[in-house]
Amino acid sequence: MNTKAQASTKNSFLRMSSFLMVCFFLVTSYSFAQKTNASVDLTKIKIGEEIKLSISVEADSTASIIFPEGNTLFSPLELLESYKVDTIKKDGKYNLIKQYGLTQFDSGVYFIPKQKILINEKPFFTDSIRIAVADVAVDTLKQKMYKIKSIVSVEKGNSNWWVYLLLVLGLLLAFGLYFYYFVFQLKAKKEKKKKAEIPAYDRALLQLNELDNSTLLLKSEYKDYYSELTNIVRQYIEEEVRIDALESTTEELIRKIEAQKKAGYLDLKEETIKSLKNVLQTADLVKFAKSKPDDSVVQADRNLVEHIVVETKEAIPEISQEELRKDEEYKLRLLEEQRKKRRFRNALIGIGAMIIVFGGLIGYATLTYVKENTYIGHSMDDLQEAEWVTSEYGASGFTIATPKVLKRISPIQMPDSIKTEFDSQMFQYNSYLAPFMINLETVTFTKKTDITADKISEKVLRQMQEAGAQDIIVKFDEYESPRGIKGLKMYGSATFNDVENPLGTSQKRAYAVYIFEEGVGIQILRFSYADKDEEAKKVLDRVMNSLAQIEEQK
């Protein structure tokens, strides 16, 4: 064979080998892709009708296969039954088929989420499947129907009765406080002041008579009785003899009196000092050792106190004019100190009130700044009472009224080859405090495209799934504004994982997505809010009504 023939044969062999290698990779890749498959027997059902989801896996006899199990894996559909695995052997391989019975008891469009199958501990995922659940048709011919009744006006009841009740209770409380303060407190202060103006000797005798008329002994309250009795004599000694008697113990007081006697400032008999010591010691036993003296001892101690007061007055020497002047100066100095204390106390009260007022204002201003300049957001009351703003967004001039201005955010990054085909702008307001979110995405294509509202809705659903949303319930309706502009409304509820939320993690929210097609542009208006929040629904309706009104004005 010549050299050219050998070269030709060699090239043919290489081309054949390359072709077979390509075919081998295609076949193996196709087989790899076909290892798992998911299908349903029905894609359109009535409410409560069973769907059979079949997941098939092709593998050899040595493979370890684990199918998904759990009631929540198929949410928002409900799992009715998990059937046994069927095995079919073919060409040395096994085809394992696992079936699940699913249903839904609410009309709408739902998606069976992707399911994870473990083959030799390696995960494989099925595709999500769209299921439409239709309402059950009602036969109005066999069922008796009634005419719609007209609206009947009903007198509005007095639902604010509790306001008047609180007002009456508040007035009664204010009157009670006024009566207590001005009748009892002021009266007690006046009596106390009047007693203070009485000379110490006369006041001590008056207090002893008041103690005799009290019911302390009748109630066997010996501790309170002896406390009053000793306070009378101690206060008298403190005022007349000028020694610290109220804050001194029994032994300290007796030593101070004896020191005054030795210094010649008090001409008091030894017997009187001894009687005072006995009375004070008896009082200490009653107050601290819970001793209960006889009535005769109590009466004797009371008489001794009166005798001590009389003897002490007689034992006090005459005060000279110089001493009287010094005493008057002392009283004036004491009065001035009391006035300074009152002024200082009033100043502290005033400063405290100013701190509270300014602190409240600063706190309110800080809270307002945090709401306006951070992503914590506002409450629903703040959003409803706010001064709404009407603005145009995007190149298409999409105009709506919102409680707060929607701030421009960065859209999802796209490859440079795709960026040239359209212009996408995104605006958003998000309040985790409410919670409430408005998101507007305006997309303008450079040329005519086949992207429809249905495809956009599928993209929105995929974004929700990729963001970690669970238990997604999806419904679709046609939306038409009063001006006749049509769009697609996609709404439902889901559990969103709010990773960036500083106030919590995940929570169930309702959502609504409005998709409008206009020439070569598409506008996607999204809302999300707390599930069953009627106030949030009012804000949503107001935003959509503003869109309709602006459209009519164009």
Side-chain angles (χ1 to χ4, degrees):
M1 184 181 291
N2 57 25
T3 306
K4 291 184 178 180
Q6 290 178 351
S8 176
T9 303
K10 185 178 180 181
N11 291 335
S12 300
F13 177 74
L14 291 174
R15 284 196 296 269
M16 182 61 70
S17 300
S18 302
F19 175 75
L20 291 175
M21 187 176 293
V22 171
C23 292
F24 173 76
F25 281 116
L26 289 175
V27 170
T28 54
S29 62
Y30 179 79
S31 300
F32 179 81
Q34 294 298 318
K35 273 190 175 182
T36 61
N37 182 42
S39 62
V40 293
D41 58 343
L42 297 171
T43 58
K44 295 182 180 180
I45 63 169
K46 297 178 182 179
I47 292 176
E49 187 176 356
E50 183 181 10
I51 308 167
K52 284 190 177 179
L53 170 66
S54 299
I55 299 177
S56 63
V57 177
E58 182 181 339
D60 54 34
S61 59
T62 60
S64 172
I65 302 172
I66 300 177
F67 288 96
E69 292 292 344
N71 295 331
T72 60
L73 295 177
F74 305 95
S75 180
L77 277 76
E78 297 185 18
L79 177 65
L80 297 178
E81 186 174 356
S82 177
Y83 297 96
K84 293 182 178 179
V85 178
D86 290 335
T87 305
I88 300 174
K89 185 176 181 182
K90 184 179 180 181
D91 298 333
K93 290 190 176 183
Y94 287 93
N95 189 14
L96 285 75
I97 302 174
K98 173 74 172 177
Q99 287 190 331
Y100 303 89
L102 309 175
T103 191
Q104 175 56 246
F105 297 97
D106 193 8
S107 61
V109 177
Y110 305 90
F111 284 84
I112 301 175
K114 298 177 180 179
Q115 299 299 315
K116 182 172 70 174
I117 301 98
L118 294 177
I119 303 176
N120 293 329
E121 299 184 356
K122 185 175 182 180
F124 293 85
F125 294 90
T126 65
D127 294 331
S128 58
I129 303 175
R130 186 176 185 269
I131 303 295
V133 182
D135 288 324
V136 178
V138 179
D139 191 350
T140 58
L141 297 177
K142 295 180 180 180
Q143 182 178 355
K144 188 176 181 180
M145 306 298 290
Y146 298 91
K147 293 182 178 180
I148 299 175
K149 294 184 179 181
S150 59
I151 299 175
V152 179
S153 60
V154 180
E155 292 184 2
K156 186 178 180 181
N158 186 14
S159 59
N160 295 328
W161 59 270
W162 57 273
V163 177
Y164 300 102
L165 178 62
L166 290 178
L167 182 61
V168 172
L169 292 176
L171 292 175
L172 291 176
L173 179 63
F175 178 76
L177 292 174
Y178 174 83
F179 184 80
Y180 173 78
Y181 180 77
F182 285 96
V183 175
F184 291 99
Q185 292 287 350
L186 290 184
K187 183 178 179 180
K189 288 183 178 180
K190 287 180 180 179
E191 291 179 355
K192 187 176 181 180
K193 185 177 180 180
K194 188 181 292 184
K195 286 182 180 180
E197 294 175 352
I198 300 175
Y201 175 76
D202 296 334
R203 186 168 67 254
L205 296 180
L206 178 62
Q207 289 174 340
L208 287 173
N209 291 331
E210 290 177 350
L211 184 61
D212 293 337
N213 296 328
S214 68
T215 59
L216 295 177
L217 292 179
L218 295 176
K219 296 178 181 179
S220 298
E221 295 178 355
Y222 296 103
K223 180 179 178 180
D224 293 338
Y225 182 85
Y226 269 92
S227 294
E228 291 290 334
L229 184 66
T230 53
N231 281 340
I232 292 171
V233 68
R234 282 173 177 272
Q235 186 174 6
Y236 174 73
I237 292 173
E238 182 167 318
E239 292 183 6
E240 291 294 328
V241 184
R242 315 282 186 195
I243 58 177
D244 187 8
L246 291 173
E247 301 297 331
S248 301
T249 63
T250 298
E251 297 298 331
E252 290 174 347
L253 178 59
I254 297 302
R255 284 199 302 269
K256 291 176 182 179
I257 291 175
E258 289 176 347
Q260 291 282 345
K261 178 179 173 61
K262 289 180 181 180
Y265 298 117
L266 185 64
D267 188 13
L268 198 61
K269 299 178 181 178
E270 291 291 340
E271 183 180 353
T272 303
I273 297 175
K274 186 177 179 181
S275 298
L276 176 62
K277 183 177 181 180
N278 292 335
V279 172
L280 295 177
Q281 288 177 343
T282 303
D284 291 339
L285 291 174
V286 172
K287 290 188 290 183
F288 305 113
K290 297 183 179 180
S291 175
K292 294 183 178 179
D294 295 335
D295 293 341
S296 59
V297 175
V298 173
Q299 186 61 41
D301 287 342
R302 187 265 176 224
N303 294 333
L304 279 175
V305 168
E306 183 176 357
H307 177 73
I308 292 167
V309 170
V310 174
E311 287 292 328
T312 303
K313 179 175 176 57
E314 294 176 354
I316 297 174
E318 293 290 334
I319 301 176
S320 62
Q321 293 295 327
E322 182 65 20
E323 290 176 340
L324 286 175
R325 185 181 62 80
K326 290 182 179 180
D327 184 62
E328 187 68 23
E329 291 177 354
Y330 171 77
K331 290 181 179 180
L332 291 174
R333 188 167 61 252
L334 184 63
L335 182 62
E336 182 63 24
E337 290 178 357
Q338 291 176 351
R339 288 176 179 174
K340 289 180 179 180
K341 289 181 179 179
R342 283 198 299 269
R343 287 195 295 267
F344 181 72
R345 182 186 61 198
N346 293 336
L348 287 179
I349 293 173
I351 293 172
M354 292 176 64
I355 291 174
I356 292 173
V357 172
F358 283 106
L361 293 174
I362 293 172
Y364 177 77
T366 303
L367 180 60
T368 303
Y369 177 82
V370 169
K371 287 181 177 181
E372 296 292 343
N373 296 278
T374 67
Y375 58 99
I376 293 178
H378 304 77
S379 65
M380 290 310 305
D381 291 336
D382 291 339
L383 294 178
Q384 292 193 67
E385 296 173 1
E387 185 176 351
W388 283 44
V389 181
T390 302
S391 300
E392 291 187 3
Y393 299 94
S396 60
F398 191 80
T399 308
I400 55 172
T402 54
K404 301 293 179 181
V405 177
L406 305 183
K407 295 183 179 180
R408 184 188 298 271
I409 61 175
S410 300
I412 300 174
Q413 294 295 327
M414 297 290 181
D416 295 336
S417 58
I418 302 178
K419 285 183 179 179
T420 58
E421 298 180 3
F422 66 89
D423 175 51
S424 176
Q425 296 181 348
M426 192 174 292
F427 308 87
Q428 181 173 292
Y429 169 77
N430 197 359
S431 171
Y432 287 106
L433 185 62
F436 187 78
M437 187 272 289
I438 304 176
N439 181 284
L440 172 62
E441 183 177 1
T442 63
V443 182
T444 305
F445 297 98
T446 56
K447 58 183 178 179
K448 192 67 177 178
T449 179
D450 59 349
I451 296 179
T452 61
D454 291 333
K455 292 183 178 180
I456 294 294
S457 65
E458 294 178 2
K459 171 194 170 186
V460 172
L461 182 61
R462 285 197 303 272
Q463 289 177 349
M464 292 169 59
Q465 292 175 338
E466 292 170 358
Q470 299 176 351
D471 304 331
I472 303 174
I473 296 176
V474 186
K475 298 181 182 180
F476 292 94
D477 276 334
E478 291 184 354
Y479 175 79
E480 184 175 355
S481 68
R483 188 172 176 266
I485 295 180
K486 297 181 179 181
L488 178 64
K489 178 182 178 182
M490 173 183 172
Y491 63 102
S493 63
T495 302
F496 293 90
N497 295 321
D498 296 333
V499 179
E500 298 179 355
N501 184 0
L503 305 179
T505 53
S506 62
Q507 56 181 313
K508 185 176 182 181
R509 290 193 187 182
Y511 69 89
V513 182
Y514 296 85
I515 305 171
F516 301 98
E517 298 180 63
E518 186 178 354
V520 293
I522 292 179
Q523 294 83 33
I524 308 169
L525 185 58
R526 312 184 201 193
F527 300 88
S528 72
Y529 50 91
D531 192 32
K532 299 180 182 179
D533 188 347
E534 298 299 327
E535 300 301 321
K537 292 180 182 178
K538 293 179 182 178
V539 174
L540 187 153
D541 292 339
R542 185 173 172 183
V543 173
M544 297 308 297
N545 290 336
S546 72
L547 169 64
Q549 293 170 2
I550 293 167
E551 288 173 353
E552 292 173 353
Q553 293 172 4
K554 287 184 178 180

